[in-house]
Amino acid sequence: MPAKEMRKGGRSRIGQVVLAFLIGLVVLTLLLLPLHRAEISLDATVRSMQFRTERTGVILPTIAAKWVIVQGHSRVHVPPIDGQTKVVSTVPVVRIESKAPDAKGGLLIDFPSIPPGARVELIAYPDDRSYELILCGVEEPTRLLANGPVRFFADSDRLLAAKHPMTILIVPQSTDAPRNGTMYHGVCGDQLPLRFRFVPASGRDIELPGNLVIRDLRLFSLMRGPDGTLQPRSSILSGTLRIRSIKADPRPLHRNEFLILEESHGEIRGLRMQPATINFDFEGSTGGISVGAPPGSVSLMPRLLEWWMSRNLILLAWSAGLSALGLVFGLYKWFRKPA
């Protein structure tokens, strides 16, 4: 065989080896590389939930309450009643109870609007069937509307029995207020959270008035253990996770199971605060899905091959056909040796 043809055959075989290596690398990538983001649907019943808001707005509608405990404010303004002077309380914990015969409209909580990016936590307490709403970065006052007599517990015990409806103003801490070196731990980080713990006047569920655009959904909280260290605790009671980016069966969520969603973004399309629990529906995307407490968590993020196999049948057929033609052509060149 002439030397020129031998060199040509050698280059051909090198090209075929490179082609086979590239095909193998593509297949290996599809098998091992996870998706950058996955579309999910989540229906869960939890004890608590945390998230960040994407838009300015109110988290909960106006709620009629039997009582409410407020913490994290700077002061409370009570209007003058029957010629008395106005009361301004700076006590850090204030409790207000409705004493109206029909408590359904005796005390109304008109929750404040919060800015985009503010973190929120909702908690349901089974012992007294109360709820707690924790807000970070609040700038506007909260209005408590009393349509009947209420008892005001602060630096003293007062019965407020106005002849006309009155408005009690809860003024939040200034976001620019100095912290005097004090660091707060929890959902608000180094900010002082504004907390409302309350019992609804009626036994009916409280529902979100509309869709709520959120990010960074978290279904666990940090609890201080016996040794003083912060430890994660799952808030999940039950639920179902659907990974919509691939064709897979829904995955049930078990009680106290850890579910970690990284860089999640989407909408809460339904939220019901039921006695002792919170039920919500979330649809959106996430940059990572894992179950189990770290460091032993297991990733549920789908691989590129799973995503590719779940695509539209027409697109899949064209992709598979082109891949098959490329493979056949490569094999034909491999077995076709120069004369």
Side-chain angles (χ1 to χ4, degrees):
M1 179 182 296
K4 184 177 180 180
E5 292 187 2
M6 290 181 64
R7 287 195 299 269
K8 183 178 179 181
R11 288 195 298 268
S12 178
R13 288 189 178 88
I14 292 175
Q16 293 163 6
V17 170
V18 170
L19 178 62
F21 173 77
L22 292 176
I23 293 175
L25 185 61
V26 170
V27 173
L28 190 63
T29 300
L30 290 174
L31 285 172
L32 300 180
L33 196 64
L35 284 178
H36 175 62
R37 295 193 67 81
E39 300 291 327
I40 64 169
S41 296
L42 177 62
D43 177 7
T45 300
V46 298
R47 300 183 193 92
S48 66
M49 59 188 300
Q50 298 179 16
F51 53 85
R52 289 188 184 273
T53 57
E54 280 287 87
R55 303 169 184 167
T56 301
V58 177
I59 301 300
L60 293 179
T62 300
I63 292 175
K66 294 180 180 178
W67 55 260
V68 58
I69 297 175
V70 184
Q71 299 180 65
H73 53 278
S74 64
R75 59 192 183 276
V76 179
H77 290 262
V78 179
I81 301 173
D82 299 333
Q84 299 178 2
T85 59
K86 181 176 67 172
V87 176
V88 179
S89 175
T90 57
V91 175
V93 180
V94 171
R95 179 184 175 103
I96 305 172
E97 295 181 358
S98 173
K99 293 299 179 181
D102 184 3
K104 290 184 179 180
L107 180 63
L108 301 177
I109 309 174
D110 189 11
F111 292 104
S113 177
I114 59 175
R119 186 164 278 282
V120 178
E121 183 172 14
L122 273 173
I123 307 172
Y125 295 99
D127 50 355
D128 58 0
R129 298 200 169 189
S130 66
Y131 304 97
E132 188 169 26
L133 175 63
I134 303 176
L135 303 175
C136 309
V138 176
E139 298 177 351
E140 65 177 49
T142 303
R143 289 171 172 80
L144 303 182
L145 308 177
N147 294 319
V150 295
R151 191 166 291 279
F152 183 81
F153 298 89
D155 48 354
S156 62
D157 180 2
R158 295 184 179 91
L159 179 63
L160 307 178
K163 296 179 180 178
H164 304 285
M166 62 178 176
T167 300
I168 301 173
L169 283 182
I170 310 294
V171 180
Q173 293 277 352
S174 171
T175 55
D176 300 327
R179 295 293 181 229
N180 299 323
T182 302
M183 295 297 289
Y184 301 97
H185 299 283
V187 62
C188 294
D190 61 350
Q191 292 181 334
L192 182 62
L194 183 59
R195 310 170 73 105
F196 302 90
R197 184 166 178 174
F198 59 92
V199 169
S202 66
R204 293 179 295 181
D205 298 346
I206 300 172
E207 296 193 13
L208 198 69
N211 293 352
L212 183 63
V213 182
I214 66 163
R215 58 184 171 90
D216 300 335
L217 176 64
R218 192 164 78 174
L219 302 180
F220 63 91
S221 56
L222 296 177
M223 308 293 293
R224 196 170 296 279
D227 58 352
T229 60
L230 295 175
Q231 301 173 354
R233 178 191 175 191
S234 171
S235 66
I236 293 176
L237 298 174
S238 63
T240 303
L241 172 67
R242 296 175 176 85
I243 304 177
R244 296 188 289 116
S245 295
I246 61 174
K247 294 180 180 178
D249 294 332
R251 186 190 186 281
L253 300 175
H254 305 290
R255 188 182 185 90
N256 296 328
E257 182 176 29
F258 276 89
L259 173 67
I260 301 174
L261 303 175
E262 300 175 10
E263 299 178 355
S264 59
H265 183 280
E267 287 187 350
I268 294 179
R269 298 191 172 180
L271 186 145
R272 293 167 296 282
M273 298 172 65
Q274 302 166 325
T277 62
I278 301 169
N279 181 268
F280 70 95
D281 302 313
F282 172 79
E283 286 197 11
S285 63
T286 177
I289 313 169
S290 57
V291 292
S297 57
V298 178
S299 175
L300 298 181
M301 200 66 175
R303 307 299 170 180
L304 283 173
L305 183 61
E306 296 176 280
W307 172 83
W308 183 71
M309 294 296 292
S310 300
R311 296 304 87 201
N312 185 278
L313 288 178
I314 296 178
L315 176 62
L316 181 61
W318 274 100
S319 301
L322 292 175
S323 301
L325 286 175
L327 181 60
V328 169
F329 180 72
L331 291 175
Y332 171 76
K333 293 190 67 176
W334 179 270
F335 287 109
R336 184 171 175 263
K337 297 181 181 180

